[in-house]
Amino acid sequence: MRPAGRDETDSLYFTYPHFNEPRGEARAHLTDAVPVVIVGAGPVGMVAALSLAREGVRSVLVEARSSFNDGSRAICIARQSFHILQSLGALEPFLAKALGWTTGRSFYRGRQILEFTMPDGPSEKFRPMYNLQQQYIEAYLYQAIAANPLIETRWQSEVIAMHSGPAGVDLTIRDPEATYALKADWLLAADGARSPVRRMLGLKLRGENYEGRYVIADIRMQQDYPTIRRALFDPACRPGGTVLIHKQPDDIWRIDYQLASGESETEALREDTVRKSVALVLEDIGYSGSWDLEWWSIYSANTLALDEYRHGRVVFIGDSAHIVPIFGVRGLNNGIADAHNIGWKLGRVLNGRAGEDLLDSYTPERRGATLDVFANATKSARFMTPPSHGWRIMRDAALGLALEHPFAGELANPRQMTPFTYAGSPAVLPDDPGFAGGAAPGAAMPDAALTDGFLSDRIGSGYTLVCFDEELSDEVSRLPDAPEVVCLDFPGDASRMLGANASSAYLVRPDLHIAARWLEASAGRIADAMKTLSFRKD
């Protein structure tokens, strides 16, 4: 919502573009069959399109809106998502604009009870977390989309009917000029929490709804407070409630404040009510300068998911597959990981480099990640928004204890999102028991500082072998369907971090997770692994 007199794209700091439906010559091929249709051109849908394009696969993005999402919405981008953006060639504008941060502070009744610092150091190319409004996230991804000849975007285009069969998906699409049919081999549903595609298939999310409701308010003000996530428990401005505050680019501040159990949403969303509530928060943090109201909305915490993310030729990604609480900034980042995961897998199936059985690993990996998010986010949700009187008593007791005992303050740590480890996935090989350290198969590949940059800069677009032996590197490079090879100095920071010796090797998947590792690697073992991981029957 915007203040009176301004429409939904009348922003204080962002100029929204307007995109027309396909016109002129662009309409000549609207009904031509395509390999993949992606419904929804938000961040998740665009990451999926870019991931497919990296595998050489064409896609059509279908979006009912005429511009990007209004309001800041999802604002926190995790380190692993920055690695994904780098792999897709979309990183530079994000690095130039986003605000990196490592620290969070929690306060109880005005007194600080916790300062946490997320893991960081010289071996990491990116900061643990970045703040950037969703409009910019979408705009920067769209820059990469528009420059890619393998991706077509159809704005103001709504899917009004669909039928999925063993040979593909038949869609009926309506735009301002006409209604037409489109056939795709596959459909990726990135159409959000109220997914029309999910509804058309008669599918429902299952899980828990939490009572906690928050108003989100974006304001513009100039304050010198650093980019530190602040959480206020039982502050004077919202007795018994919780307030979260994040700094964003362009002097925009995101304030999330909890509504009381009996507080009317209709009343809470009135502009004058929002202004009064924000003024009280600013008074509480000691800010007395001028400010402007930019945008506001409301959300509640839920843990909901589909039982199965793939239904024949239809695959669900992002909020269409699951809805997670915002605590720990897991929603956007979980969706980006979904899109990247299915993008490289479906891309390799369609370009003939993998068998279709590879796709059977998508639900176990990404639903497993969702359930892990649920486990961690539920702990945070119960602390941030206690679901019962008993939980509130325990939460407040812990906060009171934290005033005098620092260990209790750790209970207010939101435990920010970390990449999920795909242990037991069919697309990951069993670990080599010889390793005494390092990262196991299924985990995200750790970064390391090299003399000429970072290890993450050297990871290729397909499978990549990281090794420390030039002879092994040469032998693997000559294999049919060989992975890209990165040979590093031994000993060095990377070998120590990976628990490797001079004969060791790590095989990294296109989504930057480890597929396999060997303490004593050989070209034969690597060739066998590549054959197994291709899921081809020939």
Side-chain angles (χ1 to χ4, degrees):
M1 302 175 71
R2 301 274 182 187
R6 290 163 51 196
D7 64 32
E8 65 179 17
T9 59
D10 186 4
S11 171
L12 296 173
Y13 67 97
F14 183 84
T15 301
Y16 286 87
H18 177 83
F19 300 106
N20 295 316
E21 73 280 8
R23 293 181 175 179
E25 293 183 3
R27 301 194 70 82
H29 302 286
L30 288 184
T31 61
D32 292 356
V34 295
V36 184
V37 165
I38 303 168
V39 183
V44 173
M46 286 195 272
V47 167
L50 290 168
S51 299
L52 286 164
R54 194 174 68 153
E55 297 290 341
V57 173
R58 292 188 302 114
S59 66
V60 171
L61 275 165
V62 178
E63 174 53 59
R65 296 169 298 145
S66 62
S67 191
F68 306 131
N69 271 299
D70 65 314
S72 66
R73 301 184 186 272
I75 64 168
C76 295
I77 313 174
R79 170 183 285 142
Q80 188 66 13
S81 294
F82 260 60
H83 282 297
I84 291 172
L85 294 171
Q86 176 177 256
S87 75
L88 298 177
L91 176 66
E92 291 310 313
F94 287 88
L95 271 182
K97 190 73 172 181
L99 303 179
W101 59 280
T102 61
T103 302
R105 293 172 182 164
S106 296
F107 300 82
Y108 177 51
R109 295 180 177 173
R111 292 176 56 186
Q112 184 170 316
I113 58 171
L114 171 70
E115 179 168 310
F116 67 85
T117 301
M118 293 177 285
D120 198 24
S123 65
E124 300 286 359
K125 180 173 183 177
F126 303 120
R127 303 291 62 76
M129 204 68 63
Y130 291 84
N131 284 356
L132 184 66
Q133 299 93 316
Q134 185 166 327
Q135 308 100 309
Y136 286 120
I137 295 171
E138 295 187 14
Y140 297 157
L141 285 170
Y142 189 65
Q143 287 180 20
I145 293 283
N148 196 306
L150 292 174
I151 305 171
E152 176 190 352
T153 307
R154 300 181 186 177
W155 297 93
Q156 299 191 51
S157 301
E158 179 185 6
V159 175
I160 59 173
M162 62 164 289
H163 172 74
S164 176
V169 183
D170 294 297
L171 301 167
T172 302
I173 298 174
R174 180 174 61 205
D175 68 20
E177 287 198 28
T179 297
Y180 60 92
L182 176 63
K183 185 174 181 61
D185 295 327
W186 293 85
L187 185 147
L188 301 184
D191 50 347
R194 296 182 176 87
S195 170
V197 172
R198 191 177 64 228
R199 185 184 66 250
M200 291 174 195
L201 289 180
L203 303 173
K204 292 185 178 181
L205 302 175
R206 299 199 307 167
E208 295 185 59
N209 301 96
Y210 291 88
E211 293 184 2
R213 301 163 300 156
Y214 282 76
V215 170
I216 314 168
D218 286 351
I219 67 170
R220 184 171 64 180
M221 68 176 182
Q222 293 185 338
Q223 189 188 38
D224 293 333
Y225 202 86
T227 310
I228 290 176
R229 177 261 199 195
R230 282 178 283 183
L232 316 180
F233 294 97
D234 196 14
C237 60
R238 305 293 299 181
T242 308
V243 176
L244 302 174
I245 305 173
H246 277 279
K247 182 179 182 179
Q248 302 177 81
D250 301 326
D251 291 324
I252 299 297
W253 295 77
R254 162 79 165 264
I255 299 174
D256 300 30
Y257 56 87
Q258 185 181 2
L259 299 183
S261 58
E263 200 167 352
S264 163
E265 288 189 12
T266 302
E267 175 63 25
L269 289 174
R270 286 166 49 98
E271 181 180 339
D272 59 340
T273 305
V274 173
R275 288 184 180 276
K276 290 175 184 176
S277 299
V278 169
L280 289 172
V281 172
L282 297 181
E283 181 181 342
D284 213 332
I285 63 174
Y287 180 78
S288 58
S290 62
W291 59 276
D292 293 314
L293 181 60
E294 158 71 3
W295 171 88
W296 68 94
S297 185
I298 193 168
Y299 68 84
S300 58
N302 301 294
T303 52
L304 303 169
L306 289 172
D307 292 330
E308 172 65 49
Y309 288 2
R310 177 186 167 200
H311 292 262
R313 293 296 185 101
V314 179
V315 183
F316 292 88
I317 56 180
D319 286 352
S320 70
H322 48 71
I323 301 174
V324 305
I326 67 155
F327 311 119
V329 297
R330 295 169 170 89
L332 171 67
N333 296 291
N334 205 42
I336 287 174
D338 289 349
H340 198 40
N341 188 293
I342 193 59
W344 76 266
K345 290 175 180 176
L346 182 56
R348 289 180 79 86
V349 169
L350 289 173
N351 67 25
R353 302 190 72 177
E356 192 170 317
D357 287 351
L358 173 60
L359 303 180
D360 292 339
S361 66
Y362 173 68
T363 289
E365 290 187 355
R366 294 311 307 156
R367 193 169 191 277
T370 299
L371 296 179
D372 181 68
V373 165
F374 284 0
N376 287 287
T378 296
K379 296 175 185 176
S380 295
R382 286 174 175 165
F383 199 87
M384 301 294 290
T385 60
S388 67
H389 180 65
W391 274 103
R392 181 171 294 280
I393 290 174
M394 289 190 291
R395 193 279 302 270
D396 291 348
L399 290 171
L401 188 63
L403 292 173
E404 304 297 334
H405 302 279
F407 77 88
E410 283 297 326
L411 295 170
N413 190 329
R415 299 170 183 83
Q416 310 292 342
M417 178 179 177
T418 56
F420 182 64
T421 297
Y422 302 137
S425 166
V428 170
L429 299 186
D431 196 10
D432 185 332
F435 277 94
M445 184 66 174
D447 208 356
L450 307 177
T451 55
D452 57 347
F454 290 86
L455 176 57
S456 58
D457 299 329
R458 308 276 298 277
I459 301 298
S461 60
Y463 279 90
T464 301
L465 188 79
V466 176
C467 67
F468 306 90
D469 184 312
E470 289 285 357
E471 184 176 341
L472 175 65
S473 173
D474 292 341
E475 291 177 2
V476 171
S477 297
R478 293 193 292 268
L479 293 172
D481 198 24
E484 298 182 51
V485 182
V486 175
C487 190
L488 303 178
D489 293 336
F490 182 88
D493 290 342
S495 63
R496 286 188 287 271
M497 178 265 296
L498 294 170
N501 61 40
S503 302
S504 300
Y506 277 69
L507 184 62
V508 184
R509 305 188 327 182
D511 63 354
L512 313 177
H513 282 253
I514 298 165
R517 65 175 181 170
W518 302 270
L519 192 64
E520 301 293 333
S522 69
R525 297 178 76 180
I526 293 162
D528 289 344
M530 291 298 294
K531 182 177 181 180
T532 299
L533 293 167
S534 75
F535 289 85
R536 290 199 298 255
K537 295 182 171 61
D538 52 7

